[in-house]
Amino acid sequence: MSLRDLAPLAAVLGLLAALPFLVLPGSALNFLVTTLIIALAGLGWNVLGGFGGQFSFGHAAFFGTGAYATAVLQTTFGWNAWAAAGAGIGLGTLAGLVIGALSFRAGLRGSYFALVTLAFAEVLRILANAADLTGGAAGLLLRLQPGVAHLQFADRRHFYLLVVAVLGLALLACRWLERSRFGAHLVAVRENEEAARALGVDALKVKLGAIALSAAITAAAGCLYVQYFLYVDAGVAYGTWISVEALLAPIVGGIGTAFGPLIGALALQGLGEATKGIAGGVPGVDLVAFGACLVAVIAFAPQGLIGLARRRPARKRATKPAGA
């Protein structure tokens, strides 16, 4: 990748890193951390669903595996937080490879693949809710131990910077996908798998690579979530909420683009907070706003907010008089 490709990434990350050092209340910092973790999960979904065309309804399986592994290894086995987080990402990646191998070898795609991922996430939720190792229905509570060694920080802005750094690595991976040979093969499989196979692309290998990368990024979001809130249960880790949020962010922001999930997450979470503030905290009103936003995007901006922004300058150039 050239410096020209990296310049927008550096600008976005620099702006995000500077935000918490402005005069912001604690609630705004919590909003930013949560939003960026959701954006990270959205980037993971976008690798598989946006670039690869393999829509998943069960990315909670990877998010929850990363979160639970990080918590269990610390609370039960006394692991260092950094090692536990690394293992959580590794186990999340392994979960992706297992689901991918079972699904793709069976030739599942489209709605069949989406339903299989949803089923895996639900099975894991039920198991986590019943197992003693995961704390059952009560969940797991991590001890408050501020310090870099424990991946906890007395100043929450430092944890926010860690989230920005991990988000930056995920964005870098997505920018690489847009320019790499592997990314081109992934898009070819998305557009026409049979034609890609005829041209010599190993479709199974490409899809397994995509789901592994997708699961790793989403598992990293789960690790950060549990380290920030110091608590996890089956409903949080494997609940449908994160699968829906991870899916909505890239669709609203711009599916198959590097910055789409980040823009979509900021737009959706901002809309949700504004709606709850206007409605006085009525339960579920933010979900109504999400649904309305999704319908509007599908109807008027099928390529998301990024596509809408790109279309306006093109429309202006098309309507400009010749010779002007």
Side-chain angles (χ1 to χ4, degrees):
M1 287 186 293
S2 65
L3 291 176
R4 184 178 179 181
D5 296 326
L6 296 177
L9 176 60
V12 169
L13 293 178
L15 176 61
L16 289 174
L19 284 177
F21 296 94
L22 303 174
V23 183
L24 293 175
S27 58
L29 185 59
N30 284 333
F31 168 80
L32 285 173
V33 171
T34 304
T35 300
L36 293 191
I37 289 175
I38 291 172
L40 185 61
L43 281 166
W45 186 95
N46 197 43
V47 169
L48 185 64
F51 291 101
Q54 309 297 321
F55 276 42
S56 162
F57 290 166
H59 259 55
F62 315 135
F63 181 90
T65 299
Y68 262 121
T70 302
V72 169
L73 289 173
Q74 290 180 74
T75 57
T76 305
F77 299 100
W79 279 38
N80 172 273
W82 292 91
I89 295 173
L91 288 173
T93 305
L94 179 61
L97 285 171
V98 169
I99 294 173
L102 293 174
S103 302
F104 298 143
R105 286 185 184 278
L108 299 181
R109 65 179 75 175
S111 58
Y112 296 103
F113 175 72
L115 291 174
V116 164
T117 58
L118 178 62
F120 269 103
E122 187 62 14
V123 167
L124 290 172
R125 185 192 67 80
I126 293 171
L127 291 175
N129 198 53
D132 292 333
L133 183 65
T134 56
L140 290 174
L141 185 66
L142 275 67
R143 283 198 304 164
L144 181 62
Q145 297 176 290
V148 176
H150 302 292
L151 253 178
Q152 299 177 28
F153 303 92
D155 188 340
R156 288 178 299 169
R157 292 178 299 180
H158 296 158
F159 190 90
Y160 171 84
L161 291 178
L162 174 64
V163 176
V164 171
V166 177
L167 181 71
L169 291 175
L171 284 170
L172 190 62
C174 290
R175 293 292 284 180
W176 169 77
L177 272 180
E178 290 181 330
R179 302 290 189 272
S180 70
R181 184 176 182 180
F182 175 79
H185 287 175
L186 188 58
V187 172
V189 170
R190 178 191 70 191
E191 296 300 324
N192 191 320
E193 186 170 334
E194 286 71 25
R197 289 179 188 274
L199 291 172
V201 176
D202 188 338
L204 177 60
K205 184 178 179 180
V206 167
K207 289 193 287 186
L208 285 176
I211 198 171
L213 179 58
S214 176
I217 295 173
T218 309
C223 297
L224 291 172
Y225 186 95
V226 75
Q227 283 299 136
Y228 186 71
F229 292 100
L230 302 179
Y231 174 77
V232 64
D233 65 11
V236 168
Y238 293 117
T240 55
W241 74 276
I242 187 61
S243 294
V244 172
E245 298 268 16
L247 182 151
L248 284 179
I251 289 178
V252 171
I255 193 168
T257 63
F259 291 104
L262 175 59
I263 293 173
L266 289 169
L268 285 171
Q269 296 305 310
L271 177 63
E273 290 298 316
T275 304
K276 286 188 286 188
I278 294 171
V282 177
V285 69
D286 55 328
L287 300 180
V288 175
F290 287 177
C293 181
L294 181 61
V295 170
V297 166
I298 292 174
F300 303 107
Q303 294 181 327
L305 297 177
I306 286 182
L308 185 64
R310 289 172 177 172
R311 193 166 59 188
R312 292 185 65 182
R315 187 179 298 170
K316 287 182 180 179
R317 287 193 297 268
T319 57
K320 188 176 180 180

